[in-house]
Amino acid sequence: MLKKNLTGAAAGVALGLMGSAAGARDLAFAVFVPAASPSVQSIYQPWVDWFNAEAAADDVQITLYAGGTLGRNPLAQAQMVADGVADLALTVPSYTPGVFPDFDMFELPGFANNTREGSLAALELHQEGLLHGYENYYVVAMYTSGAYMIHTREPIESVSNLNGTRLRVAGQIQTAVVEALGGVPQSMSAGEMAENIDRGLIDGAMTDASVARTFRVADVAPNHYDANLGVLVFTIVMNRGVYDSLPDHVKDLLAQSGQFIADRQIDSYGPAIETNMQAWEADAAHTLVIPTDAERAEIATRVQPVIDQVAAAATPGLIEAYEAKLEDIRSR
């Protein structure tokens, strides 16, 4: 049942929606991104619709609260689930530095090449019990963004051009990577990227091709350096007590949900990135630079201290398991 400590507008919305499904147990799913975002439209809402159809006989349903209806702070989502404000929530491990060290490795350059590799690796390593940090929750899903690129106002021909370049980052690993590459990291929200680039307060941003399009970064930073600078992990977590109280059939549906959501992410997000890349390559107003093997080797050398730092903080042998998992995924 939806938690009783919802207050104000959130409680009113919740109670109204609960009334539309009298008798059903309604699980609140908090998502901090807007309802109109591609992730909600292509991934979260289709999953909720599938789950609700399959769980109808159990009188259990999920209601999605997008746009931060139950809490806007992306850093507070896991705590909201722990406190009972929501039953499930979308979280980003890297937004709380030091809390989930096993997940830092996904943001390292030179590992996952795309959404498929990152999402399958994260999900399968979790399913195999190799990723630690969410033991107090039930992890419903785990998946990733596309590979991060650098988008700038001025062309970037090589890694040496990054010296002194002010780049928007999110989290401590991206900060360390940009510093290792000679850039000057600038921390800000995704919604602030385009305006700050347009005003000349920063020179560009490090993000994947889909986010660059969605948040208008590509409109003001038309030069793209595709250097495979890591992926960002997303998780959907459920309150452990709520999970334990659910019928076995509903638990089975939740066990299937991780693959359902990862597949939707791969099928929708991956092609969106490819479409953006092809458009930039065909547009004379944009430049798209693919680093040479020598450039990639230089990047690897520069970020090796960051890799060593992440490996030291993570579960022993985890990075090696990640590399092996990626090789396995590429062979399928």
Side-chain angles (χ1 to χ4, degrees):
M1 183 175 294
L2 201 63
K3 304 306 178 205
K4 296 181 180 178
N5 55 344
L6 291 176
T7 58
V13 171
L15 291 171
L17 288 172
M18 287 178 68
S20 68
R25 181 171 184 184
D26 198 314
L27 306 177
F29 176 26
V31 175
F32 58 84
V33 299
S37 70
S39 294
V40 171
Q41 297 296 315
S42 298
I43 301 168
Y44 309 139
Q45 191 61 58
W47 168 63
V48 167
D49 293 342
W50 168 82
F51 178 93
N52 288 347
E54 296 293 326
D58 300 282
D59 285 335
V60 176
Q61 69 174 26
I62 293 173
T63 299
L64 191 156
Y65 297 92
T69 303
L70 302 183
R72 296 182 181 278
N73 185 354
L75 282 66
Q77 301 300 302
Q79 191 60 48
M80 283 168 46
V81 173
D83 292 343
V85 176
D87 299 295
L88 308 94
L90 171 67
T91 74
V92 182
S94 69
Y95 285 0
T96 48
V99 178
F100 305 105
D102 277 3
F103 293 83
D104 289 345
M105 68 180 182
F106 293 100
E107 296 185 80
L108 294 173
F111 288 81
N113 292 311
N114 51 49
T115 305
R116 176 179 179 270
E117 291 181 7
S119 295
L120 292 181
L123 177 63
E124 292 176 17
L125 288 172
H126 161 65
Q127 291 173 335
E128 293 165 14
L130 298 179
L131 290 172
H132 300 92
Y134 281 103
E135 286 77 12
N136 293 330
Y137 302 87
Y138 177 79
V139 177
V140 175
M142 198 170 286
Y143 55 95
T144 74
S145 69
Y148 271 45
M149 309 167 60
I150 290 175
H151 312 270
T152 54
R153 292 173 54 143
E154 301 299 325
I156 297 293
E157 298 294 338
S158 71
V159 67
S160 61
N161 296 145
L162 293 174
N163 289 337
T165 302
R166 299 165 299 173
L167 297 172
R168 180 267 181 177
V169 298
Q172 64 179 5
I173 302 304
Q174 289 186 14
T175 295
V177 166
V178 165
E179 289 176 341
L181 298 180
V184 181
Q186 307 287 308
S187 181
M188 64 187 66
S189 72
E192 297 175 298
M193 293 187 291
E195 180 181 357
N196 279 276
I197 294 170
D198 193 40
R199 294 173 59 191
L201 299 178
I202 59 174
D203 302 306
M206 186 166 80
T207 189
D208 73 23
S210 182
V211 170
R213 176 75 175 272
T214 300
F215 288 92
R216 297 182 43 253
V217 170
D219 293 347
V220 293
N223 302 288
H224 317 282
Y225 187 62
D226 186 14
N228 186 17
L229 297 174
V231 295
L232 189 66
V233 175
F234 300 87
T235 65
I236 295 174
V237 298
M238 174 179 273
N239 181 287
R240 174 63 71 173
V242 171
Y243 172 80
D244 289 341
S245 70
L246 294 171
D248 288 343
H249 177 245
V250 174
K251 290 179 179 178
D252 289 341
L253 294 175
L254 291 170
Q256 298 172 42
S257 294
Q259 192 67 54
F260 182 100
I261 291 169
D263 288 344
R264 296 286 305 199
Q265 173 76 350
I266 293 165
D267 291 344
S268 62
Y269 205 81
I273 285 177
E274 290 302 317
T275 297
N276 293 345
M277 299 278 280
Q278 291 169 7
W280 295 338
E281 197 166 20
D283 189 342
H286 290 256
T287 67
L288 177 61
V289 174
I290 310 296
T292 64
D293 289 344
E295 279 280 299
R296 293 187 187 280
E298 173 65 18
I299 291 171
T301 297
R302 292 196 186 197
V303 302
Q304 188 59 51
V306 183
I307 295 174
D308 294 341
Q309 171 190 338
V310 169
T315 299
L318 183 58
I319 288 185
E320 291 77 11
Y322 180 36
E323 291 177 307
K325 178 61 69 177
L326 289 171
E327 288 301 316
D328 174 57
I329 291 167
R330 290 165 188 155
S331 70
R332 299 175 192 174

